[in-house]
PDB file of all heavy atoms in Angstrom:
ATOM      1  N   GLN A 835    -108.748  80.798  61.638  1.00 96.00           N
ATOM      2  CA  GLN A 835    -107.933  81.927  62.112  1.00 96.00           C
ATOM      3  C   GLN A 835    -106.481  81.757  61.668  1.00 96.00           C
ATOM      4  O   GLN A 835    -105.865  82.685  61.163  1.00 96.00           O
ATOM      5  CB  GLN A 835    -108.025  81.989  63.639  1.00 96.00           C
ATOM      6  CG  GLN A 835    -107.178  83.073  64.269  1.00 96.00           C
ATOM      7  CD  GLN A 835    -107.248  82.994  65.791  1.00 96.00           C
ATOM      8  OE1 GLN A 835    -108.326  83.011  66.359  1.00 96.00           O
ATOM      9  NE2 GLN A 835    -106.093  82.889  66.433  1.00 96.00           N
ATOM     10  N   ARG A 836    -105.938  80.524  61.835  1.00 97.00           N
ATOM     11  CA  ARG A 836    -104.561  80.238  61.436  1.00 97.00           C
ATOM     12  C   ARG A 836    -104.349  80.477  59.942  1.00 97.00           C
ATOM     13  O   ARG A 836    -103.370  81.076  59.513  1.00 97.00           O
ATOM     14  CB  ARG A 836    -104.226  78.781  61.784  1.00 97.00           C
ATOM     15  CG  ARG A 836    -103.042  78.640  62.703  1.00 97.00           C
ATOM     16  CD  ARG A 836    -102.599  77.214  62.998  1.00 97.00           C
ATOM     17  NE  ARG A 836    -103.517  76.123  62.789  1.00 97.00           N
ATOM     18  CZ  ARG A 836    -104.351  75.640  63.703  1.00 97.00           C
ATOM     19  NH1 ARG A 836    -104.402  76.188  64.908  1.00 97.00           N
ATOM     20  NH2 ARG A 836    -105.125  74.629  63.425  1.00 97.00           N
ATOM     21  N   VAL A 837    -105.280  79.963  59.122  1.00 96.00           N
ATOM     22  CA  VAL A 837    -105.179  80.102  57.672  1.00 96.00           C
ATOM     23  C   VAL A 837    -105.271  81.576  57.267  1.00 96.00           C
ATOM     24  O   VAL A 837    -104.507  82.048  56.417  1.00 96.00           O
ATOM     25  CB  VAL A 837    -106.263  79.268  56.953  1.00 96.00           C
ATOM     26  CG1 VAL A 837    -106.270  79.525  55.462  1.00 96.00           C
ATOM     27  CG2 VAL A 837    -106.058  77.782  57.218  1.00 96.00           C
ATOM     28  N   ALA A 838    -106.177  82.298  57.889  1.00 96.00           N
ATOM     29  CA  ALA A 838    -106.347  83.726  57.577  1.00 96.00           C
ATOM     30  C   ALA A 838    -105.076  84.507  57.894  1.00 96.00           C
ATOM     31  O   ALA A 838    -104.610  85.316  57.073  1.00 96.00           O
ATOM     32  CB  ALA A 838    -107.535  84.299  58.348  1.00 96.00           C
ATOM     33  N   PHE A 839    -104.478  84.264  59.057  1.00 96.00           N
ATOM     34  CA  PHE A 839    -103.241  84.971  59.423  1.00 96.00           C
ATOM     35  C   PHE A 839    -102.086  84.586  58.485  1.00 96.00           C
ATOM     36  O   PHE A 839    -101.274  85.433  58.108  1.00 96.00           O
ATOM     37  CB  PHE A 839    -102.859  84.710  60.888  1.00 96.00           C
ATOM     38  CG  PHE A 839    -103.635  85.554  61.861  1.00 96.00           C
ATOM     39  CD1 PHE A 839    -104.483  84.975  62.799  1.00 96.00           C
ATOM     40  CD2 PHE A 839    -103.524  86.944  61.851  1.00 96.00           C
ATOM     41  CE1 PHE A 839    -105.207  85.754  63.693  1.00 96.00           C
ATOM     42  CE2 PHE A 839    -104.233  87.731  62.740  1.00 96.00           C
ATOM     43  CZ  PHE A 839    -105.082  87.139  63.671  1.00 96.00           C
ATOM     44  N   HIS A 840    -102.047  83.320  58.093  1.00 97.00           N
ATOM     45  CA  HIS A 840    -101.014  82.880  57.157  1.00 97.00           C
ATOM     46  C   HIS A 840    -101.172  83.599  55.815  1.00 97.00           C
ATOM     47  O   HIS A 840    -100.192  84.061  55.229  1.00 97.00           O
ATOM     48  CB  HIS A 840    -101.092  81.362  56.948  1.00 97.00           C
ATOM     49  CG  HIS A 840    -100.090  80.855  55.961  1.00 97.00           C
ATOM     50  ND1 HIS A 840     -98.767  80.661  56.285  1.00 97.00           N
ATOM     51  CD2 HIS A 840    -100.217  80.526  54.647  1.00 97.00           C
ATOM     52  CE1 HIS A 840     -98.117  80.225  55.207  1.00 97.00           C
ATOM     53  NE2 HIS A 840     -98.982  80.136  54.207  1.00 97.00           N
ATOM     54  N   LEU A 841    -102.408  83.694  55.350  1.00 96.00           N
ATOM     55  CA  LEU A 841    -102.699  84.365  54.083  1.00 96.00           C
ATOM     56  C   LEU A 841    -102.275  85.832  54.124  1.00 96.00           C
ATOM     57  O   LEU A 841    -101.702  86.358  53.162  1.00 96.00           O
ATOM     58  CB  LEU A 841    -104.201  84.259  53.783  1.00 96.00           C
ATOM     59  CG  LEU A 841    -104.638  84.594  52.368  1.00 96.00           C
ATOM     60  CD1 LEU A 841    -104.287  83.458  51.423  1.00 96.00           C
ATOM     61  CD2 LEU A 841    -106.135  84.852  52.331  1.00 96.00           C
ATOM     62  N   LEU A 842    -102.509  86.492  55.252  1.00 96.00           N
ATOM     63  CA  LEU A 842    -102.149  87.911  55.386  1.00 96.00           C
ATOM     64  C   LEU A 842    -100.640  88.124  55.401  1.00 96.00           C
ATOM     65  O   LEU A 842    -100.161  89.204  55.043  1.00 96.00           O
ATOM     66  CB  LEU A 842    -102.783  88.498  56.649  1.00 96.00           C
ATOM     67  CG  LEU A 842    -104.308  88.628  56.608  1.00 96.00           C
ATOM     68  CD1 LEU A 842    -104.850  89.058  57.961  1.00 96.00           C
ATOM     69  CD2 LEU A 842    -104.748  89.597  55.521  1.00 96.00           C
ATOM     70  N   LYS A 843     -99.884  87.085  55.796  1.00 97.00           N
ATOM     71  CA  LYS A 843     -98.422  87.194  55.811  1.00 97.00           C
ATOM     72  C   LYS A 843     -97.802  86.905  54.445  1.00 97.00           C
ATOM     73  O   LYS A 843     -96.641  87.208  54.223  1.00 97.00           O
ATOM     74  CB  LYS A 843     -97.830  86.243  56.858  1.00 97.00           C
ATOM     75  CG  LYS A 843     -98.111  86.690  58.282  1.00 97.00           C
ATOM     76  CD  LYS A 843     -97.527  85.704  59.276  1.00 97.00           C
ATOM     77  CE  LYS A 843     -97.845  86.134  60.704  1.00 97.00           C
ATOM     78  NZ  LYS A 843     -97.360  85.157  61.693  1.00 97.00           N
ATOM     79  N   MET A 844     -98.579  86.297  53.551  1.00 97.00           N
ATOM     80  CA  MET A 844     -98.068  85.967  52.216  1.00 97.00           C
ATOM     81  C   MET A 844     -97.882  87.238  51.391  1.00 97.00           C
ATOM     82  O   MET A 844     -98.639  88.198  51.564  1.00 97.00           O
ATOM     83  CB  MET A 844     -99.060  85.035  51.487  1.00 97.00           C
ATOM     84  CG  MET A 844     -99.123  83.627  52.032  1.00 97.00           C
ATOM     85  SD  MET A 844    -100.524  82.653  51.374  1.00 97.00           S
ATOM     86  CE  MET A 844    -100.168  82.607  49.633  1.00 97.00           C
ATOM     87  N   PRO A 845     -96.916  87.232  50.455  1.00 97.00           N
ATOM     88  CA  PRO A 845     -96.776  88.383  49.552  1.00 97.00           C
ATOM     89  C   PRO A 845     -98.047  88.539  48.705  1.00 97.00           C
ATOM     90  O   PRO A 845     -98.703  87.540  48.380  1.00 97.00           O
ATOM     91  CB  PRO A 845     -95.583  88.010  48.666  1.00 97.00           C
ATOM     92  CG  PRO A 845     -94.865  86.928  49.397  1.00 97.00           C
ATOM     93  CD  PRO A 845     -95.881  86.225  50.236  1.00 97.00           C
ATOM     94  N   LEU A 846     -98.367  89.763  48.337  1.00 97.00           N
ATOM     95  CA  LEU A 846     -99.594  90.045  47.585  1.00 97.00           C
ATOM     96  C   LEU A 846     -99.657  89.228  46.295  1.00 97.00           C
ATOM     97  O   LEU A 846    -100.714  88.709  45.930  1.00 97.00           O
ATOM     98  CB  LEU A 846     -99.698  91.548  47.273  1.00 97.00           C
ATOM     99  CG  LEU A 846    -100.962  91.987  46.521  1.00 97.00           C
ATOM    100  CD1 LEU A 846    -102.218  91.637  47.314  1.00 97.00           C
ATOM    101  CD2 LEU A 846    -100.916  93.480  46.219  1.00 97.00           C
ATOM    102  N   GLY A 847     -98.522  89.077  45.626  1.00 97.00           N
ATOM    103  CA  GLY A 847     -98.487  88.298  44.376  1.00 97.00           C
ATOM    104  C   GLY A 847     -98.917  86.859  44.579  1.00 97.00           C
ATOM    105  O   GLY A 847     -99.629  86.282  43.746  1.00 97.00           O
ATOM    106  N   GLU A 848     -98.498  86.254  45.701  1.00 97.00           N
ATOM    107  CA  GLU A 848     -98.873  84.871  46.009  1.00 97.00           C
ATOM    108  C   GLU A 848    -100.365  84.760  46.329  1.00 97.00           C
ATOM    109  O   GLU A 848    -101.019  83.802  45.933  1.00 97.00           O
ATOM    110  CB  GLU A 848     -98.044  84.339  47.186  1.00 97.00           C
ATOM    111  CG  GLU A 848     -96.586  84.085  46.858  1.00 97.00           C
ATOM    112  CD  GLU A 848     -96.415  83.045  45.765  1.00 97.00           C
ATOM    113  OE1 GLU A 848     -96.996  81.946  45.878  1.00 97.00           O
ATOM    114  OE2 GLU A 848     -95.713  83.350  44.775  1.00 97.00           O
TER     115      GLU A 848
END
Side-chain angles (χ1 to χ4, degrees):
Q835 177 184 306
R836 238 184 340 269
V837 174
F839 280 117
H840 178 79
L841 194 76
L842 291 173
K843 289 179 182 177
M844 289 169 62
L846 182 59
E848 289 299 309

